[in-house]
Amino acid sequence: MKFLVCISNVPDTTTKITFTPDNKELNKAGVQFVINPWDEYALTRAIELKEKLGGNVTVLNVGEADTEPNIRKALAIGADDAIRVNAKPTDAYFVAQQIAAAAKEGGYDIILMGKESIDYNGFQVHGMVGELLGIPTVAPAIKLDVEGSTATLEREIEGGKEIVEVATPFVVSCQEPMCEPRIPNMRGIMTARTKPLKVVEPTGEAPRTQVTEYALPPKKQGVKLIPAESAGDLIKLLRNEAKVI
Amino acid sequence: MSVLVVVECDNGEVKKSSLEVASYGSQVAQMLGTTATAVAVGEATEANLAALGEQGISKVLYDNDSRLKDFVNGAYTKLIAAAAQQESAQIIVLANSNIGAAVGSRLSVRLQASLATNVVELPKTDGGQFVVKRGAFSGKAFSDVILSGERKIIAVKKNSMEPLHNAGQTATVENFSAQLTDADFSDAPKQVIMQEQAGGILLPEADKVVSGGRGMKGPENWNLIEDLAKALGAATACSKPVSDVDWRPHHEHVGQTGITVSPNLYIACGISGAIQHLAGVNSSKVIVVINKDPEAPFFKAADYGIVGDVFDVLPKLTQAVKELN
């Protein structure tokens, strides 16, 4: 079975977000970039399934050369080979086209990715890839099992979950608690250096959206502390002052 | 030029997030000098659909095919695309929900539309550009995004729009069929399992949330959270460490890698406020933090705080809510 896992390169989850002085871009100074946490679920589950069923896990990232350390990390965790589409991932449609093009060429059975990236929070790429390839999409999934050419998935819905069966090929976006993400071991790190990483140029149409400006949320006024002994006063404040109850 | 609103229904009722979406869509229609039509998915009653007039909707299209009761991506996408075609919709508005995201992303390719999710405000149309404001960096920032092209799809973040209530206005409800075939239902769910929600309130839709962290000491103490939530009519939630050790189920975990919520009131009990947790809640209108550690970072993000033991404070709060009611 051939798995394609799409990973994003995102600021570490503890990053305090700031922007360049013109507010057009993230200020990357001092920011550590990691594999998007949601994508780690996709990567780990693909590796687990490969270990069970046999096959191959290819990692794909749309990004410039500075994303390669995280692509190597994915290889160290257990992916077999990687593709980097040499472009800045400007919008979801642009990224989806790159994934769809790679998927067509590679003939993958299951295309996995995280539910969304923690930077742009688009939650869009999975559906776009599915539609571009004319195959089903299951998003977001909390469980994925495969038998033969049929997969059984649990999909999260508001207030519950659905059990869905789909035949390969399909696209799935993953979220916790699908599996326990792995960290690379020394052997993985050593072998990752020699695994193939192919760099290809982007294809397809121009992006359909464009960010003009970033902004931080307005600063809070500061906390109003209520003494613990008169905790009940908080409820009066929430009704009369904040007007939320 | 027209605006199409996708309305999600469940057990006959229109979801709260869809009332917000309908209000958003009708205000966009008004800005553009046109009307807003809704297409309903899920199980709805005619009376509830007609009541969408209160949110400014003039007409509702409804396909009462019983196979559409539960979400089926292929069928929903085809149905909404057909409605968009019939209404010559240039703008489609839907909820930033699991259904909205699954359908919206497929629709954007099918209709060659630009798509923005997680949108928090009405669009700006100055200078010939169509610009929406959306949440980014897991709630730590916002971005203004130009949607280019003729067709645009907007997924509106929950609780970012106050639903309109024009009392007495009704929408006309029309039968609508997208000629769905069995093939459109090939990805239909085999089984739908609803999870128990505290007080029957869905966390992603809730406008009040009471949330507990490791400071609650154990799952056996959750009755304190539940009692306050019940008194307030709030949903319950938890921090990641709590769901990681199985004190609470994963679907209650709010934070960067859990559910992002933006209620009017978020009460955090025994949660220190790690940056990943804040990312999931900091667009809440009012944040209350109860923690015995005065140095807990969450106090910096809070509007109201009580430095105290949750085991003393929570019963007092529950009592005060009961007295108020």
Side-chain angles (χ1 to χ4, degrees):
Chain A
M1 186 146 288
K2 290 184 76 176
F3 301 91
L4 180 66
V5 179
C6 312
I7 61 168
S8 289
N9 196 54
V10 299
D12 171 44
T13 58
T14 60
T15 304
K16 201 169 173 192
I17 301 296
T18 57
F19 299 104
T20 52
D22 62 358
N23 287 325
K24 301 265 186 221
E25 286 195 50
L26 175 74
N27 178 10
K28 291 185 178 176
V31 174
Q32 166 96 22
F33 281 79
V34 297
I35 299 173
N36 182 41
W38 300 109
D39 299 342
E40 289 192 37
Y41 292 97
L43 175 65
T44 305
R45 191 62 191 138
I47 293 165
E48 287 173 353
L49 288 169
K50 181 197 84 166
E51 286 166 355
K52 193 174 137 196
L53 307 164
N56 188 78
V57 175
T58 301
V59 169
L60 181 141
N61 169 256
V62 180
E64 292 170 315
D66 59 355
T67 70
E68 288 198 3
N70 279 325
I71 299 177
R72 289 280 173 210
K73 187 182 169 194
L75 293 169
I77 291 170
D80 299 287
D81 51 73
I83 303 167
R84 179 171 68 81
V85 181
N86 187 29
K88 211 170 169 178
T90 41
D91 91 332
Y93 179 60
F94 177 78
V95 171
Q97 290 179 99
Q98 312 313 318
I99 297 168
K104 264 184 202 156
E105 196 178 315
Y108 298 95
D109 300 293
I110 306 180
I111 301 164
L112 305 94
M113 61 188 76
K115 150 185 157 156
E116 63 183 29
S117 67
I118 62 162
D119 48 3
Y120 296 110
N121 303 109
F123 198 1
Q124 304 177 4
V125 174
H126 50 83
M128 291 178 171
V129 172
E131 188 70 20
L132 285 166
L133 295 171
I135 59 177
T137 328
V138 182
I142 49 176
K143 204 168 174 189
L144 165 64
D145 284 307
V146 183
E147 203 160 327
S149 59
T150 306
T152 306
L153 300 107
E154 283 183 14
R155 175 181 173 273
E156 191 174 74
I157 56 174
E158 277 88 357
K161 59 187 177 184
E162 291 176 350
I163 296 176
V164 186
E165 266 177 31
V166 286
T168 58
F170 64 90
V171 181
V172 54
S173 81
C174 306
Q175 71 168 52
E176 68 176 358
M178 178 171 272
C179 53
E180 195 58 50
R182 292 183 187 179
I183 48 169
N185 57 29
M186 190 46 79
R187 191 170 161 268
I189 293 166
M190 299 305 283
T191 54
R193 292 183 189 161
T194 56
K195 287 179 178 173
L197 194 169
K198 188 165 81 173
V199 179
V200 299
E201 291 305 313
T203 168
E205 299 163 33
R208 287 178 178 163
T209 61
Q210 188 199 333
V211 175
T212 55
E213 193 174 78
Y214 287 102
L216 294 171
K219 277 221 160 60
K220 287 272 182 187
Q221 297 288 321
V223 61
K224 189 180 253 187
L225 288 174
I226 293 104
E229 321 65 88
S230 46
D233 291 350
L234 170 69
I235 298 302
K236 288 179 200 138
L237 286 169
L238 291 176
R239 171 156 294 182
N240 301 324
E241 188 178 83
K243 300 190 193 311
V244 288
I245 59 173
Chain B
M1 171 80 79
S2 85
V3 174
L4 182 73
V5 171
V6 180
V7 169
E8 296 174 29
C9 305
D10 199 12
N11 281 326
E13 309 249 351
V14 177
K15 286 188 189 169
K16 177 174 161 273
S17 52
S18 288
L19 297 177
E20 296 162 9
V21 163
S23 305
Y24 186 103
S26 66
Q27 287 178 71
V28 173
Q30 206 171 27
M31 281 168 65
L32 302 173
T34 181
T35 53
T37 298
V39 56
V41 291
E43 191 178 34
T45 66
E46 193 167 333
N48 283 334
L49 294 180
L52 283 164
E54 295 191 7
Q55 283 76 47
I57 299 295
S58 52
K59 180 170 80 178
V60 185
L61 306 175
Y62 183 48
D63 186 338
N64 61 4
D65 186 331
S66 62
R67 295 175 296 178
L68 290 165
K69 182 175 157 288
D70 293 317
F71 173 69
V72 185
N73 200 340
Y76 277 33
T77 304
K78 188 171 170 184
L79 177 84
I80 298 162
Q85 225 64 325
Q86 179 186 299
E87 298 297 312
S88 311
Q90 250 82 53
I91 295 176
I92 300 172
V93 188
L94 30 76
N96 197 63
S97 61
N98 285 347
I99 291 178
V103 172
S105 52
R106 292 197 77 110
L107 273 179
S108 72
V109 171
R110 198 169 299 190
L111 301 175
Q112 296 180 308
S114 46
L115 167 65
T117 53
N118 221 12
V119 171
V120 296
E121 276 179 10
L122 288 167
K124 292 184 211 89
T125 53
D126 330 331
Q129 303 276 31
F130 193 96
V131 183
V132 290
K133 185 176 183 180
R134 62 182 300 276
F137 295 98
S138 304
K140 292 185 231 174
F142 295 100
S143 63
D144 281 348
V145 180
I146 298 176
L147 302 186
S148 49
E150 266 184 35
R151 282 202 177 119
K152 297 156 182 75
I153 303 178
I154 300 169
V156 183
K157 186 175 178 180
K158 289 173 183 177
N159 285 323
S160 53
M161 172 83 6
E162 197 63 43
L164 302 170
H165 285 289
N166 301 314
Q169 299 283 321
T170 54
T172 54
V173 182
E174 284 182 13
N175 282 330
F176 177 73
S177 169
Q179 317 288 331
L180 298 170
T181 64
D182 286 347
D184 299 320
F185 290 89
S186 62
D187 59 336
K190 301 287 167 220
Q191 199 187 350
V192 178
I193 303 160
M194 296 315 284
Q195 285 145 345
E196 202 185 321
Q197 308 285 326
I201 298 164
L202 283 177
L203 175 59
E205 303 256 319
D207 72 352
K208 298 183 206 78
V209 175
V210 183
S211 189
R214 263 197 300 212
M216 293 304 297
K217 302 253 165 72
E220 66 280 7
N221 299 321
W222 234 258
N223 61 316
L224 295 175
I225 298 275
E226 282 161 351
D227 289 348
L228 178 59
K230 196 174 164 202
L232 284 168
T236 64
C238 69
S239 64
K240 184 169 162 61
V242 164
S243 67
D244 280 352
V245 294
D246 285 335
W247 291 358
R248 300 298 297 171
H250 273 278
H251 66 260
E252 288 193 10
H253 157 207
V254 293
Q256 188 154 248
T257 55
I259 292 175
T260 306
V261 294
S262 46
N264 283 323
L265 175 62
Y266 184 80
I267 303 181
C269 312
I271 302 177
S272 62
I275 195 164
Q276 295 95 331
H277 186 79
L278 288 178
V281 305
N282 62 3
S283 50
S284 307
K285 196 169 149 199
V286 172
I287 295 177
V288 174
V289 171
I290 303 158
N291 203 304
K292 66 180 177 189
D293 174 10
E295 301 298 320
F298 217 157
F299 283 115
K300 289 201 178 78
D303 299 281
Y304 298 95
I306 297 178
V307 178
D309 189 340
V310 284
F311 298 98
D312 288 337
V313 171
L314 279 171
K316 282 185 189 158
L317 294 181
T318 305
Q319 186 57 32
V321 176
K322 284 182 180 159
E323 280 165 16
L324 203 64
N325 294 338

